[in-house]
Amino acid sequence: MQIQVVKSKIHRVKCTGAELNYIGSITIDEDLMEAANIIQGEKVQIVNNDNGERLETYCIPGPRKSGEITLNGAAARKVSIGDTLILITYAFMDIEEAKVFKPSLVFPDEATNLLK
């Protein structure tokens, strides 16, 4: 049997952009993606602490050291610039593997979204 567990989390970043006229996705500073072990195209759950919205999309890398967190396409309607977000990815694994697995947890600077 396999279960789904948290693989990675970027905790409390500010939304820096909302681009409605784009094909979709979330743009994440590549430094944050790398620190959280998130790859381009991976499904990401976005939790908006300010309005309670939860949604899923896929990620694309943004410029390194930019702190960029931009929701693109329809997802842009679910955020406002400055909203505090939590970004989460999940993985399936065997129960025994899940018991010892350690997710990648990233806590960037809340004012800049940059790694501390």
Side-chain angles (χ1 to χ4, degrees):
M1 176 188 313
Q2 290 199 322
I3 60 171
Q4 192 174 26
V5 298
V6 173
K7 179 181 111 7
S8 51
K9 178 168 82 165
I10 302 174
H11 192 72
R12 297 185 62 84
V13 287
K14 298 289 185 197
C15 177
T16 62
E19 298 292 332
L20 184 60
N21 295 315
Y22 192 83
I23 58 172
S25 70
I26 181 172
T27 305
I28 303 172
D29 177 322
E30 194 167 1
D31 286 338
L32 293 174
M33 287 178 60
E34 191 173 274
N37 194 26
I38 298 172
I39 64 166
Q40 182 172 344
E42 187 170 355
K43 183 166 80 171
V44 177
Q45 181 182 44
I46 297 110
V47 179
N48 188 327
N49 280 5
D50 291 304
N51 66 18
E53 290 282 354
R54 288 178 170 258
L55 61 118
E56 293 178 342
T57 190
Y58 62 95
C59 63
I60 58 174
R64 290 182 182 275
K65 298 186 185 5
S66 66
E68 181 176 1
I69 303 290
T70 299
L71 276 291
N72 302 305
R77 294 195 183 277
K78 304 290 188 178
V79 298
S80 294
I81 293 172
D83 283 357
T84 299
L85 309 176
I86 299 171
L87 313 178
I88 309 164
T89 65
Y90 299 89
F92 287 98
M93 59 188 70
D94 294 326
I95 291 175
E96 293 306 312
E97 181 182 7
K99 288 178 182 178
V100 297
F101 178 76
K102 301 291 184 226
S104 298
L105 306 176
V106 178
F107 299 90
D109 182 286
E110 289 188 41
T112 65
N113 292 346
L114 299 177
L115 296 172
K116 295 180 185 180

